[in-house]
Every structure is written in structure tokens, then in C-alpha cells.
Amino acid sequence: MEMKAYRLADAFIVLSETFRDILHHDYGVPLSKIHIVSGGADIWRFKPATNRIGIKDKLGLSEGTNVILTLRRLVNRMGLLQLLDAWKEAAPLIPDTVLLIGGKGPLKDELERRIAEYGLQSRVQLLGYIPDSELTDYYQAADLFVVPSQALEGFGLITVEAMAAGIPVMATPVGGNREILQKFRPEMLFASKNSRDMAAGLLRMFNQREHWPTSEQCRDHVMAHYTWEHVSEQVELIFKSVIDHHSIVYGRNGHTRLQTNRKGGNEKDVESSVFGSYR
């Protein structure tokens, strides 16, 4: 059923190059049919704080504490165990900084065990599930957002949400996060998804804070590429393109139009030339 739907589709909309490549290589969909339209952030909800000190105080965070934030489901592919191993190496060299991990899932007990084993109780907080109504506060309280994904990161919504809130993001070069940061500030990507490279990346960036993108630069990038207005414009163009193709092929009465081959005077089915052999 799935493959039949793919064969009948005239166009595909995906969120990233990662999804495009899966469709093409695993399902045989021609690249010419695949359109990348990245998702968007709620730019009116996620925006830079006007009173960051007040927000940190509201969340019980001291004014002089740097905050590294990640929001993840507590499962293996999200990379939290690797991030914790990285933080074990980096934390002694990055004073006055706390790692906040928001989310719930089956890795909670293992994360708690490692935090205790590594002696990081004062440097890591497991926040549990953060209600949607509180997300903006946590984004705005953070100094740096980290996305340590190991696999299956199709787009990277939390990345663009954090950037819309004016927060710099570091991420592993996995899926959509690689695409987002490569086009913005490639130096904010970790060299790989392993814990050693994450630790090295964190140390490098905290030793060069003057090179971090500003709040304005982060938000401007989102405003230019990841708004829902931008998404709707692209989707509308794709829909119009498909409708125009159908008008050529079928005409207004719903029957396939035929065109004359100029050289031989033979009739040729336009459908095969417009949609290709895949269909």
C-alpha cells in the first residue's frame, strides 16, 4: 500500500535533505519529484527575553550561572548518555555552568545513576517533563542549547525554536540539525556524535564566547528561513506546480491530452514526458 501511494504521487514534500535521501535511495522516488520544505518555529511565542534575570530567578537559577539546556525524550537515539559523558569531561573546565535536561523516558534511571557515579549532582539537573506552557521560559533562560542526537533527526524543530528565542545552538552533525547549522554557523556543529567530540566542542565554544552568534543573529536566521509564512509560500508553489502539470496532461475535462510529435506526426502521451517513467 505504501509503495503504491508513492508510485501514484506527483510530488513529495519533505522536511530535510535527510528525508529526501531516504525517499530516493530506499523507496526509489525520483529526486525531481521531491521538494524540501523545512518546518517553521512559532516566532511570536519563541522570542528573546526582555527580562532574562527575572526568568532565571523564576526558574530557581542564579544570575551568575551559565545554563546549557537540552530538551529530549529520554531514549538512546537522543544522545543524552553521550552528552552526559561529554559533560563529565568538560564540566571541571567550565565553571559556574549547569546542564539542564528536560524530558521523560526510559533512560531516566540510567541518567540518574551516571550523574551520581560521575559526581555531577551539582552540575546537572533532570527537569522531567516540561509543560508546553513553560517551554519559552526555559529557552529564554538558557545561554546555550545542545542537541546531541545520534540518529533519526529528521528536521530539528527544537533547534529553530531555541534560535528564534535568541539562543545559540550546538548540535551533532545528524539529520536536519546539520543542515540548519551548516547554513548558519558551521562552527556550532560538533565534529561527530561521540562524547569526546562533544566535550571538545563545548570546551572550544566556552573558551571563545566572543565568537558565539548573537541573539539577534540567531533570530534573524530563523526569520529568514524557518517561519510558517515561509513554509506556506513554498507549499503553495508546489501545489500550483502540480496543478499546472495536471492541466497540461489531463486538460479541464479530466482526459489525458495528446500532443503531436512534430517530426513524425505521431501522437505522444504527454503524461510520460511530464511525470517520467516512475509513474
Side-chain angles (χ1 to χ4, degrees):
M1 181 66 71
E2 183 179 12
M3 292 304 298
K4 183 177 181 180
Y6 289 162
R7 285 194 297 271
L8 293 174
D10 297 315
F12 297 76
I13 297 175
V14 297
L15 289 167
S16 63
E17 294 172 7
T18 300
F19 281 150
R20 178 201 62 192
D21 293 344
I22 290 172
L23 264 184
H24 178 59
H25 295 300
D26 296 353
Y27 296 93
V29 177
L31 290 173
S32 59
K33 285 190 173 187
I34 305 173
H35 305 266
I36 299 173
V37 179
S38 300
D42 186 340
I43 57 173
W44 304 114
R45 179 183 173 204
F46 301 112
K47 51 190 176 182
T50 56
N51 181 12
R52 200 157 168 270
I53 294 175
I55 290 173
K56 292 182 80 168
D57 183 63
K58 174 183 173 182
L59 297 176
L61 301 166
S62 63
E63 180 182 344
T65 300
N66 295 311
V67 175
I68 301 174
L69 174 67
T70 189
L71 302 173
R72 312 258 70 192
R73 176 152 172 75
L74 309 187
V75 295
N76 278 314
R77 75 175 180 86
M78 297 299 185
L80 295 170
L81 295 178
Q82 290 82 357
L83 177 59
L84 203 56
D85 286 347
W87 189 231
K88 175 182 126 179
E89 301 301 319
L93 300 173
I94 306 177
D96 303 317
T97 304
V98 63
L99 171 63
L100 304 184
I101 300 174
K104 62 180 182 179
L107 277 186
K108 180 174 181 289
D109 291 344
E110 176 63 16
L111 288 167
E112 289 178 337
R113 186 189 69 75
R114 291 201 190 189
I115 290 168
E117 178 185 338
Y118 298 165
L120 292 174
Q121 294 94 328
S122 64
R123 306 295 302 277
V124 181
Q125 292 182 31
L126 294 181
L127 303 173
Y129 173 74
I130 298 176
D132 195 60
S133 59
E134 298 177 15
L135 278 178
T136 301
D137 285 345
Y138 277 98
Y139 280 132
Q140 292 179 340
D143 294 275
L144 179 69
F145 194 84
V146 175
V147 188
S149 302
Q150 300 294 295
L152 299 176
E153 192 69 52
F155 168 51
L157 178 60
I158 56 174
T159 297
V160 295
E161 286 180 349
M163 290 174 63
I167 307 305
V169 178
M170 292 195 75
T172 51
V174 174
N177 286 315
R178 175 188 59 79
E179 298 166 37
I180 293 168
L181 294 179
Q182 190 70 49
K183 295 171 184 175
F184 174 53
R185 295 287 289 270
E187 68 272 20
M188 301 303 286
L189 285 166
F190 295 116
S192 79
K193 59 186 182 181
N194 69 47
S195 59
R196 180 178 299 177
D197 283 335
M198 279 192 250
L202 288 169
L203 289 170
R204 171 174 54 83
M205 293 311 297
F206 271 91
N207 285 329
Q208 301 175 353
R209 289 198 65 162
E210 68 276 12
H211 297 307
W212 288 22
T214 66
S215 176
E216 291 78 13
Q217 288 169 338
C218 291
R219 184 167 175 84
D220 286 349
H221 188 69
V222 172
M223 296 294 286
H225 301 284
Y226 302 107
T227 67
W228 284 112
E229 181 180 3
H230 187 62
V231 170
S232 64
E233 289 172 352
Q234 292 181 83
V235 171
E236 183 179 4
L237 287 173
I238 294 166
F239 275 41
K240 285 182 176 179
S241 175
V242 172
I243 291 169
D244 288 344
H245 278 313
H246 270 260
S247 296
I248 294 171
V249 173
Y250 296 108
R252 293 185 178 179
N253 60 7
H255 297 297
T256 304
R257 286 184 178 177
L258 300 176
Q259 71 178 15
T260 301
N261 184 305
R262 290 184 178 179
K263 291 183 179 180
N266 297 321
E267 292 180 332
K268 181 180 179 182
D269 187 342
V270 180
E271 184 171 4
S272 64
S273 65
V274 173
F275 294 111
S277 60
Y278 183 80
R279 188 172 176 189

